[in-house]
Amino acid sequence: MERTFLMIKPDGVQRGLVGEIVRRFETKGFTLVGMKLMAVSRELAEGHYDVHKDKPFFKGLVEFIVSSPVVAMVWEGEGVVAGARTLIGATNPLTAAPGTIRGDFGMDVGRNLIHGSDAVETATREISLWFKEEELTSWTPSLMSWIKE
Ligand code: ADP
């Protein structure tokens, strides 16, 4: 089953939006298989955003991620990588569609509340970077047959 890595960034945690954000993925029908509140090391933040290491915003982005706790999560479901990106919305919250997390709660690209893996291969890399296998629990919600045929 497809899995994705989601991280509620320091702004989402500080603003008390953890419950609201988790609720959106739960009510959509995706399955939570791992979750932890954590302070992020500089090494992990830099490894996670390695693809952006030459961008002008890289240093500030790493500083932001290590500045305050984040909530790291793994979610499971058919099409969850793209589906979660749809719920999250465009990178810039100012132009993100209303109804998306970034569209509803943000206005600054440097404070866009949540990260979501952008492809299945990226998700695999990010999940193994952030979680040990034993921190993830596979289970089937008993109401799944009322969500998916
Ligand atoms: P996404 O998080 O939507 O996948 P990217 O992978 O392009 O977006 O960028 C990673 C993160 O870097 C963004 O979520 C945002 O926090 C930050 N970022 C991207 N572009 C900028 C920018 N121009 N200025 C500041 N931060 C940026």
Side-chain angles (χ1 to χ4, degrees):
M1 181 57 84
E2 190 171 305
R3 287 179 171 180
T4 196
F5 171 72
L6 304 181
M7 178 209 3
I8 304 175
K9 296 180 181 181
D11 51 336
V13 177
Q14 287 282 354
R15 291 175 58 190
L17 290 171
V18 172
E20 168 67 31
I21 290 172
V22 169
R23 184 189 64 77
R24 290 180 177 222
F25 297 100
E26 280 184 319
T27 53
K28 181 71 174 174
F30 294 128
T31 305
L32 182 63
V33 298
M35 175 153 112
K36 55 186 175 184
L37 176 96
M38 59 188 282
V40 183
S41 69
R42 191 165 297 272
E43 184 190 8
L44 177 57
E46 288 176 352
H48 175 76
Y49 282 119
D50 188 60
V51 66
H52 294 303
K53 65 174 181 292
D54 297 325
K55 305 265 173 62
F57 59 80
F58 178 73
K59 197 164 172 283
L61 179 57
V62 169
E63 288 302 329
F64 173 56
I65 296 298
V66 304
S67 69
S68 184
V70 306
V71 173
M73 301 178 283
V74 177
W75 287 81
E76 192 172 86
E78 200 177 304
V80 68
V81 172
R85 294 276 293 187
T86 301
L87 293 186
I88 288 170
T91 304
N92 185 347
L94 260 194
T95 53
T100 66
I101 293 165
R102 289 170 174 169
D104 286 350
F105 300 116
M107 55 183 291
D108 184 343
V109 72
R111 297 286 183 270
N112 64 3
L113 297 153
I114 179 166
H115 164 84
S117 306
D118 63 3
V120 173
E121 312 80 68
T122 322
T124 305
R125 182 184 95 83
E126 292 176 350
I127 290 167
S128 59
L129 190 63
W130 287 80
F131 283 90
K132 298 186 187 111
E133 191 52 46
E134 61 266 28
E135 291 177 312
L136 304 176
T137 306
S138 282
W139 62 293
T140 304
S142 55
L143 48 59
M144 194 47 85
S145 64
W146 300 103
I147 294 172
K148 244 184 114 321
E149 208 172 2

